[in-house]
Amino acid sequence: MSAGTHTIQGIDEKINILMVDDQPGRLLTYEAMLSGLGENLINAHSGMEALEHLLKTNIALVLMDVSMPGMDGFETAQMIHEHPRFQNTPIVFVSGIHVTDLDRLKGYKHGAVDYVSVPVVPELLRAKVKVFAELHRKTQQLEMLNARMTVLQEEERRRIARELHDSVGQLLAAISINSAFVQGESHKLSPDVAKRVSENAAMVEETSKQIRTISHLLHPPLLDEVGLASALQWYVEGFSKRSNIEAKLDIPQNFAGLSKEMELSIFRVVQECLTNIHRHAGSPTAGIRIVQDEACLRVEIEDAGTGIPFEKRSAFGSSAHTGVGLRGMRERLRQLGGTLQVQSNSPGTRVTAILPVLRATAAPSGQEVSRVALT
């Protein structure tokens, strides 16, 4: 299947709308109102059941009653939006009791995008849900384009790295061999010319080293050959030498359930964070710590620099106002079901990437089945 076909099919698929109400009769009413939209309608009878659906299913919109026993709609919305994966999930409240302006204000403070009063006008509800469904599809389209751009960027990095190694690198190697022959005859030259020949040979050698470094930074061959741990150790050691920043890496030698795509994403996150530390933080040190448990893999990058100015900290809650590097990291992780958190004090900033990992568990029949540990 081509990338274009996959994109079209992904956008045309039905989206999931989660309807939350403790009254089965009202859920049936919502189903009757919204069935004509042709989307996938999912019922939940409590806040906890709604959270379970969110963890298992890609929900585009939550339509939720405010008055529910146990955990009401406001509390459920707060729990949903406190989870890093669901911070931007739109929630529409429906209520026939809490209909004052203060109730509406409370709903919006808990992250609601709309507040509908009972009795519900079917045409109005359908129109609202249809708008959010189309917004979700447009968002999916942008996410697919971003994913494709990331793949193309990595392919271009590989191509340039290969060209530098195979073409420019070979030319420099030939120049170095010729320089060695000339140096062998340098005793026949004047002292000044012999000195220039020696300097040229040294510059060619230094250029070759820099070309190899640039090629490996574009796409580290160690990542494909021996894995993430060795590639990061090589990169962090080289970063310390180039930047004069004391960078320490705490990483296990072996990982379980990491795909090549996930290893590359982790490498790029560390690379981007250390580059930002070198350019902006003014920190003498940097620490990288990677830990993996049964549920997830955590990557923590911390510095002791100036921190993020107070007026810019709120921007980290919205990718629309953050730098390209941070947006790129978030998008890479999002495509893998992961999240990115940024905490900044004065001094110091900590960036934490969290990725779910695949685990193989034994089935009752003795066969191996895979599951994704949700975080």
Side-chain angles (χ1 to χ4, degrees):
M1 180 184 297
S2 67
T5 302
H6 176 76
T7 300
I8 293 172
Q9 287 184 347
I11 295 172
D12 289 343
E13 289 178 355
K14 294 181 179 181
I15 67 167
N16 297 314
I17 299 172
L18 179 62
M19 304 182 299
V20 189
D21 200 306
D22 62 301
Q23 298 295 324
R26 283 203 289 262
L27 290 174
L28 288 173
T29 301
Y30 299 150
E31 284 188 21
M33 292 180 182
L34 302 176
S35 60
L37 296 177
E39 309 295 358
N40 187 32
L41 305 177
I42 301 173
N43 292 338
H45 299 87
S46 67
M48 290 305 299
E49 188 179 349
L51 292 171
E52 291 175 4
H53 281 297
L54 281 162
L55 288 170
K56 297 176 182 178
T57 311
N58 180 22
I59 300 296
L61 173 68
V62 179
L63 187 67
M64 183 157 53
D65 182 32
V66 175
S67 301
M68 294 186 293
M71 186 166 59
D72 65 19
F74 293 141
E75 294 171 319
T76 304
Q78 183 175 357
M79 289 189 67
I80 290 173
H81 284 159
E82 283 177 351
H83 195 293
R85 281 177 53 197
F86 312 128
Q87 287 176 347
N88 297 318
T89 301
I91 298 174
V92 175
F93 281 126
V94 181
S95 181
I97 300 175
H98 302 277
V99 293
T100 68
D101 288 342
L102 289 177
D103 292 323
R104 294 176 183 274
L105 179 61
K106 186 176 180 180
Y108 291 128
K109 285 183 176 179
H110 282 81
V113 295
D114 208 340
Y115 203 106
V116 178
S117 300
V118 174
V120 177
V121 179
E123 294 79 4
L124 181 61
L125 183 64
R126 278 195 296 271
K128 291 177 181 289
V129 171
K130 184 176 180 180
V131 167
F132 288 115
E134 291 305 313
L135 284 174
H136 182 79
R137 285 196 171 88
K138 294 295 184 184
T139 301
Q140 280 186 317
Q141 185 177 17
L142 288 173
E143 289 173 351
M144 289 178 181
L145 289 173
N146 284 333
R148 181 59 181 158
M149 287 177 62
T150 299
V151 171
L152 291 174
Q153 183 185 55
E154 288 298 338
E155 290 176 353
E156 184 68 5
R157 287 184 179 215
R158 282 190 177 93
R159 186 191 67 79
I160 295 173
R162 186 169 56 249
E163 288 293 325
L164 286 173
H165 180 271
D166 296 343
S167 179
V168 180
Q170 295 302 319
L171 287 172
L172 287 171
I175 294 172
S176 181
I177 292 172
N178 289 341
S179 294
F181 279 115
V182 174
Q183 281 185 295
E185 300 291 326
S186 61
H187 61 280
K188 300 178 182 179
L189 305 173
S190 67
D192 185 55
V193 173
K195 179 183 178 183
R196 299 297 177 89
V197 169
S198 179
E199 289 174 349
N200 281 348
M203 285 189 289
V204 168
E205 183 179 356
E206 180 60 27
T207 302
S208 296
K209 290 180 180 178
Q210 292 191 21
I211 289 292
R212 283 195 300 271
T213 298
I214 293 171
S215 174
H216 289 177
L217 290 177
L218 282 169
H219 186 77
L222 285 174
L223 198 59
D224 297 326
E225 295 168 3
V226 290
L228 179 63
S230 296
L232 280 178
Q233 286 169 351
W234 165 83
Y235 175 72
V236 171
E237 289 173 4
F239 170 83
S240 294
K241 293 176 182 177
R242 292 189 298 271
S243 65
N244 292 320
I245 294 174
E246 183 183 357
K248 293 183 178 180
L249 176 65
D250 180 6
I251 183 174
Q253 288 301 309
N254 297 303
F255 294 95
L258 297 191
S259 64
K260 290 294 183 182
E261 183 182 11
M262 189 174 289
E263 287 192 346
L264 179 58
S265 294
I266 294 168
F267 183 90
R268 293 300 186 208
V269 166
V270 173
Q271 187 179 34
E272 181 68 29
C273 287
L274 290 183
T275 299
N276 287 340
I277 291 172
H278 178 49
R279 290 177 178 173
H280 307 297
S283 173
T285 61
I288 305 97
R289 181 171 178 262
I290 300 180
V291 293
Q292 183 179 9
D293 57 27
E294 291 297 320
C296 64
L297 182 140
R298 293 174 62 91
V299 184
E300 297 177 354
I301 303 99
E302 190 170 11
D303 66 65
T306 55
I308 301 169
F310 178 79
E311 61 273 12
K312 294 183 179 181
R313 292 181 192 176
S314 60
F316 285 92
S318 171
S319 61
H321 298 88
T322 56
V324 174
L326 184 60
R327 287 204 302 271
M329 284 190 284
R330 278 203 168 119
E331 182 59 24
R332 278 182 178 272
L333 296 172
R334 188 205 61 76
Q335 292 169 17
L336 298 170
T339 60
L340 187 76
Q341 301 170 3
V342 180
Q343 296 174 303
S344 185
N345 300 306
S346 184
T349 298
R350 175 184 292 177
V351 176
T352 304
I354 303 174
L355 284 161
V357 293
L358 288 172
R359 278 285 193 255
T361 56
S365 62
Q367 297 179 338
E368 291 292 314
V369 295
S370 295
R371 66 176 176 85
V372 175
L374 294 168
T375 58

